Amino acid sequence: MGFPLHRPRRTRQTAAWRRMVRETRLTTDAFIYPLFVVPGRGVRHPVESMPGISQLSVDEAVKEARATAAAGVPAVLIFAAPEEKDAKASAALDPKGLAAQAISAIKDACPDLVVWADVCLCGATDHGHCGHVVPGTATIDNDTSIETLAHVALNYARAGADAVAPSDMMDGRIQAIRQLLDLEGHQLTPIVSYAAKYASSFYGPFREAAESAPAFGDRRAYQMDPANVREALREVLLDVEEGADLVMVKPAGPYLDVIRQVRDAVKVPVVAYQVSGEFSLIKAAAQRGWIDERAAAFETLTGIHRAGADLIITYYAPDMARWLSE
Ligand code: PBG
């Protein structure tokens, strides 16, 4: 009953056929573009390990946001690398801090662009960890950290963020953030939870861009073990219960099975983050002429979308918008 009756090549013969039977389609609507904000004016400091990506002062971030919106990308994700770092993450709590300034300046300039604010302590703490350190130890204290994270989220919501995206992986932070936002009148600010965030080697280039490498130890006591998928489902279901409006799997490429299982387990939109290392691998190989960059970007992002991600955070967002419109 198989060959020669069945010939799957029949519907692959021409570009037109392939277009018609294509099961997964990427659109610019699905992309979110990360921006790295640093102090100063007129600053565009290239991130060496991420060709094409720069650290931007607020004024330059506004220009980048305008260009991103003009290209048709619906959303940006803001990361800030403030100068002042301390144990309390004061810069992230400051209504006049770098992240808050960037959020409000971008919203003023591009009211229709959706602005997500990454909520974490690692960019603002002197030790670079995502929560508070128990003095004299290398332990990150969960319950005091989530209190601070909720206040950081409130600060960004007040600055005008369209969504807050906690990336710290502390337990209970979604509930803590939801409660404080609601108490303070921000019932309509969605929470994008980095629900299944793995302790990954693919964050290396980002830590240069966000100046957030931990000064000691690593993040394995709060981020997830790359070997686990049941635990990812547990994390995601807990976050949905606590009030997450969207859930994220991060990184994306090495975790396609996780994305698929999460997509099948929840009703909220699923976001995947094609992280810095995934981007830099393609860039580095392309610069050597070892890989076709555009084809590799399309293939990796198609795979992430096919696995079940509704939305994708990617450093390729503006390029993809351009390539998709050609
Ligand atoms: C901060 C944070 C990280 C990323 C996003 N938010 C780094 C980390 O956890 O060390 C990684 C993004 C990327 O690599 O592109 N908590």
Side-chain angles (χ1 to χ4, degrees):
M1 274 313 270
F3 180 81
L5 195 59
H6 294 284
R7 292 177 184 269
R9 287 181 54 183
R10 284 182 191 125
T11 52
R12 258 182 242 150
Q13 292 183 75
T14 63
W17 269 114
R18 292 190 290 272
R19 180 156 71 96
M20 288 166 72
V21 301
R22 189 156 295 140
E23 298 174 36
T24 308
R25 254 173 257 276
L26 290 173
T27 73
T28 301
D29 300 338
F31 297 128
I32 298 118
Y33 187 47
L35 296 176
F36 299 109
V37 184
V38 291
R41 272 196 77 77
V43 179
R44 270 191 167 259
H45 179 243
V47 179
E48 213 183 315
S49 54
M50 301 177 72
I53 304 293
S54 294
Q55 295 179 319
L56 307 166
S57 51
V58 171
D59 54 321
E60 292 292 324
V62 166
K63 286 186 203 159
E64 192 80 10
R66 277 209 188 93
T68 305
V73 175
V76 292
L77 171 61
I78 309 290
F79 293 97
E83 211 143 29
E84 336 74 65
K85 299 181 195 266
D86 59 25
K88 295 198 219 149
S90 308
L93 294 160
D94 182 355
K96 293 200 168 67
L98 187 60
Q101 274 181 43
I103 292 161
S104 64
I106 291 171
K107 279 312 289 185
D108 279 350
C110 318
D112 295 332
L113 183 68
V114 175
V115 173
W116 290 4
D118 185 89
V119 171
C120 200
L121 306 191
C122 61
T125 48
D126 44 13
H127 47 67
H129 275 287
C130 305
H132 295 305
V133 175
V134 180
T137 74
T139 305
I140 308 305
D141 184 61
N142 195 86
D143 296 13
T144 54
S145 298
I146 65 176
E147 257 174 65
T148 305
L149 286 158
H151 282 95
V152 173
L154 177 61
N155 185 28
Y156 297 168
R158 282 181 175 152
D162 295 298
V164 291
S167 64
D168 52 283
M169 285 301 279
M170 299 300 129
D171 294 332
R173 84 261 213 236
I174 303 303
Q175 185 176 65
I177 291 171
R178 186 73 273 155
Q179 278 173 354
L180 188 63
L181 289 180
D182 287 5
L183 191 70
E184 297 292 332
H186 294 278
Q187 294 92 340
L188 285 181
T189 302
I191 302 177
V192 183
S193 173
Y194 286 71
K197 177 175 177 182
Y198 288 88
S200 173
S201 55
F202 288 92
Y203 304 148
F206 170 94
R207 291 178 187 169
E208 178 193 336
E211 301 170 10
S212 67
F216 60 87
D218 55 45
R219 305 203 200 287
R220 286 181 293 180
Y222 42 104
Q223 297 180 351
M224 281 187 52
D225 184 334
N228 294 356
V229 62
R230 286 192 302 266
E231 189 184 354
L233 292 174
R234 182 173 184 224
E235 284 282 7
V236 163
L237 293 173
L238 282 171
D239 283 3
V240 169
E241 236 176 76
E242 289 179 32
D245 298 282
L246 301 88
V247 292
M248 194 191 304
V249 175
K250 175 186 173 188
Y255 298 90
L256 297 181
D257 58 325
V258 181
I259 294 172
R260 168 47 53 200
Q261 292 201 36
V262 168
R263 179 58 290 165
D264 291 342
V266 299
K267 301 281 184 256
V268 296
V270 173
V271 188
Y273 196 146
Q274 183 179 50
V275 301
S276 56
E278 300 177 74
F279 172 80
S280 300
L281 287 182
I282 299 173
K283 278 283 177 193
Q287 284 184 341
R288 286 166 180 72
W290 291 350
I291 203 166
D292 175 340
E293 181 179 17
R294 177 175 162 160
F298 263 86
E299 189 173 335
T300 53
L301 293 165
T302 298
I304 293 163
H305 188 41
R306 189 195 62 234
D310 304 293
L311 300 172
I312 308 175
I313 302 168
T314 174
Y315 301 98
Y316 274 117
D319 288 336
M320 286 298 297
R322 189 160 38 81
W323 290 331
L324 282 165
S325 70
E326 279 170 12

